[in-house]
Amino acid sequence: LSQLRVISKKLEATCPWTPSTTPWWQHGNEFWNDLDSIPFTQLNVHQMICWVRHLTASQECSLMELMADGPQVPHFMVEHVWTQPWSDKIDAIEIFAEAHRLPDST
């Protein structure tokens, strides 16, 4: 949970995304068409993946390899719709974590 919270805060700090301030902006991509800016509350995974690729390109690694200190065993799987806003997913995960009293290390 703590890693997810950190990466979400970093992502939120890059918002709002605009073509002039966001080097990973995808002109011509169907999920970016007709947009002048994208606030954090509307950012979806289709758009977020461009940011992740931007972050990981220089080290040629996955986002998990950047976030984790070593191997981690998954305990849960989150199934989601890529067009749903990222902030909504995080809110749902926080509710789940609270309801199950999960530690930050989860």
Side-chain angles (χ1 to χ4, degrees), residues 85-103:
W86 177 255
S87 60
D88 290 352
K89 289 179 205 339
I90 296 303
D91 290 346
I93 290 168
E94 291 289 358
I95 291 168
F96 177 85
E98 184 180 332
H100 291 274
R101 298 186 176 138
L102 301 177

Side-chain angles (χ1 to χ4, degrees), residues 25-65:
W25 191 273
Q26 296 287 308
H27 296 283
N29 182 311
E30 68 180 293
F31 296 101
W32 302 70
N33 287 344
D34 303 322
L35 298 173
D36 294 326
S37 71
I38 307 171
F40 180 71
T41 56
Q42 293 178 5
L43 191 65
N44 67 43
V45 176
H46 286 286
Q47 296 151 340
M48 184 184 161
I49 199 76
C50 298
W51 176 71
V52 170
R53 287 181 181 145
H54 178 78
L55 286 178
T56 59
S58 65
Q59 296 192 24
E60 297 181 356
C61 65
S62 69
L63 181 61
M64 194 63 213
E65 290 170 303

